[in-house]
């Protein structure tokens, strides 16, 4: 069977169209695959970039943390050294202040010692014996230093030469003093301004006031708070003019002809360290 020329042309045209369609489809598939490959590559690159950034950040954080820890350790060590140095400086300052205070105290004692006309023996307190019935103070000077029983003892404190007591017992290198606040102690005294006299005695306690008895009632209206009481010199043991205490209270009983004064000692026995034994008295 023979094909007509018109039919051949249609077949050729159809084949050409199909061929072009196949080629176009192949090109489109190739293009889509290329785009898909490109898209996968971009995703992989983005993921890799994110991972690299995270790694760099983590590494930097770790390095900075380690550096910070080392810096903190160094600062802590320097801080400890500074604290130790400050402690040393504080100790040195305290020692300096103690030495300065001690130097001023000794200088005052030396100045006071030069003003005493009576021969004196400087001594340091080394002990206290406080009992219910009696009190004694122990000093570091004894018979070999010239200390004898009944010698009066004074001290310099706050600008005053104050009475401390008297020697009641002596050893070779130490002695015991009965303080003026002891019940067994008594001394003839007078009001410095009014000249009225009496007897001062202790009450038995270091922190309590002492008393002055047998003061004339005539002085009652003229005695003031803070008036000074000194030794009168009527005793053969105590020189006159040694400060004893200040008036803190004036009392009188109706049936007694005399006043009773309460005195605060001039010497603060709680901070007493050094004394002077005066070489006077019947046994000296």
């Amino acid at each position: 069977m023979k094909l007509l020329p018109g039919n051949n042309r249609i077949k050729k045209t159809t084949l050409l169209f199909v061929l072009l369609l196949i080629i176009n489809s192949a090109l489109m598939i190739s293009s889509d695959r290329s785009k898909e490959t490109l898209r996968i590559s971009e995703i992989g690159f983005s993921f890799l970039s994110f991972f690299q950034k995270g790694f760099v950040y983590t590494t930097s954080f770790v390095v900075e943390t380690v550096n910070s820890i080392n810096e903190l350790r160094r600062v802590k060590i320097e801080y400890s050294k500074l604290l130790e140095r400050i402690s040393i400086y504080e100790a040195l300052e305290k020692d300096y202040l103690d030495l300065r205070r001690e130097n001023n105290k000794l200088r005052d004692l030396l100045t006071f010692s030069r003003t005493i006309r009576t021969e004196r023996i400087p001594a340091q307190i080394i002990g206290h014996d406080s009992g219910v019935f009696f009190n004694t103070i122990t000093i570091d000077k004894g018979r070999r230093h010239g200390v004898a029983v009944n010698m009066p003892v004074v001290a310099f404190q706050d600008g005053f030469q104050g009475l401390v007591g008297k020697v009641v017992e002596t050893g070779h290198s130490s002695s015991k003093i009965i303080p003026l606040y002891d019940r067994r102690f008594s001394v003839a005294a007078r009001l410095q301004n009014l000249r009225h006299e009496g007897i001062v005695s202790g009450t038995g306690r270091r922190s309590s006031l002492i008393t002055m008895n047998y003061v004339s009632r005539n002085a009652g209206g003229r005695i003031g708070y803070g008036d000074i009481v000194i030794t009168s010199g009527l005793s053969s043991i105590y020189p006159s003019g040694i400060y004893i205490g200040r008036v803190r209270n004036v009392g009188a009983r109706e049936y007694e002809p005399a006043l009773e004064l309460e005195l605060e000692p001039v010497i603060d026995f709680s901070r007493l360290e050094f004394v002077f034994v005066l070489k006077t008295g019947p046994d000296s």
Side-chain angles (χ1 to χ4, degrees):
M1 183 178 179
K2 291 183 178 180
L3 295 175
L4 296 177
N7 291 333
N8 289 332
R9 188 178 298 113
I10 292 172
K11 287 182 178 181
K12 291 181 179 179
T13 302
T14 302
L15 289 174
L16 180 62
F17 175 77
V18 171
L19 181 62
L20 290 174
L21 182 61
I22 293 172
I23 293 172
N24 184 52
S25 298
L27 290 174
M28 289 180 64
I29 292 172
S30 176
S31 176
D32 290 341
R33 288 182 177 179
S34 297
K35 289 182 179 179
E36 185 177 354
T37 303
L38 180 61
R39 191 177 297 112
I40 293 173
S41 176
E42 289 178 353
I43 293 172
F45 180 74
S46 299
F47 178 77
L48 182 61
S49 298
F50 176 79
F51 179 77
Q52 288 177 338
K53 289 180 180 180
F55 179 77
V56 171
Y57 174 80
T58 303
T59 304
S60 300
F61 176 77
V62 171
V63 171
E64 290 178 359
T65 302
V66 172
N67 291 336
S68 298
I69 293 174
N70 292 333
E71 181 69 15
L72 182 61
R73 186 181 294 111
R74 185 184 63 81
V75 170
K76 185 177 181 180
I77 293 173
E78 291 182 356
Y79 178 73
S80 299
K81 291 181 179 179
L82 287 175
L83 286 180
E84 183 178 356
R85 189 173 301 174
I86 289 174
S87 299
I88 294 174
Y89 288 155
E90 287 178 347
L92 289 174
E93 183 180 10
K94 184 179 182 299
D95 291 342
Y96 169 75
L97 292 176
D98 290 341
L99 288 173
R100 185 175 180 179
R101 191 180 300 111
E102 189 72 16
N103 182 59
N104 291 335
K105 185 183 298 183
L106 293 175
R107 183 175 58 190
D108 292 340
L109 288 173
L110 179 61
T111 302
F112 167 68
S113 177
R114 291 172 178 171
T115 63
I116 301 177
R117 296 179 182 178
T118 307
E119 187 178 354
R120 71 276 178 194
I121 304 169
Q124 184 174 5
I125 294 175
I126 57 175
H128 292 270
D129 185 5
S130 299
V132 178
F133 301 105
F134 61 89
N135 301 272
T136 57
I137 297 173
T138 305
I139 59 174
D140 63 349
K141 296 294 166 55
R143 288 191 300 271
R144 75 183 185 92
H145 303 98
V147 179
V149 173
N150 285 332
M151 284 185 175
V153 181
V154 298
F156 180 76
Q157 199 174 81
D158 300 329
F160 290 96
Q161 173 188 323
L163 183 63
V164 174
K166 70 175 181 179
V167 178
V168 291
E169 183 181 335
T170 58
H172 180 69
S173 300
S174 62
S175 301
K176 288 188 176 182
I177 299 168
I178 178 175
L180 63 85
Y181 57 81
D182 188 85
R183 295 181 184 275
R184 298 170 295 167
F185 182 86
S186 62
V187 58
R190 69 166 179 261
L191 290 157
Q192 186 179 37
N193 296 328
L194 301 178
R195 315 299 293 180
H196 287 278
E197 297 178 349
I199 301 295
V200 171
S201 57
T203 58
R205 295 184 301 276
R206 183 173 64 178
S207 59
S208 64
L209 301 177
I210 56 179
T211 60
M212 182 177 181
N213 296 300
Y214 312 113
V215 180
S216 173
R217 280 183 175 269
N218 296 329
R222 293 178 292 168
I223 300 175
Y225 183 88
D227 284 355
I228 297 293
V229 175
I230 60 175
T231 56
S232 65
L234 297 180
S235 169
S236 59
I237 297 178
Y238 305 97
S240 63
I242 301 175
Y243 287 86
I244 298 176
R246 302 177 181 87
V247 176
R248 289 294 178 256
N249 187 40
V250 179
R253 296 184 177 90
E254 294 182 0
Y255 55 86
E256 290 186 356
L259 301 175
E260 179 180 285
L261 311 182
E262 290 186 330
L263 311 178
E264 178 186 11
V266 168
I267 296 298
D268 181 358
F269 286 85
S270 65
R271 57 188 181 93
L272 188 61
E273 298 181 53
F274 300 95
V275 297
F276 292 94
V277 180
L278 304 183
K279 299 189 70 172
T280 62
D283 296 339
S284 60

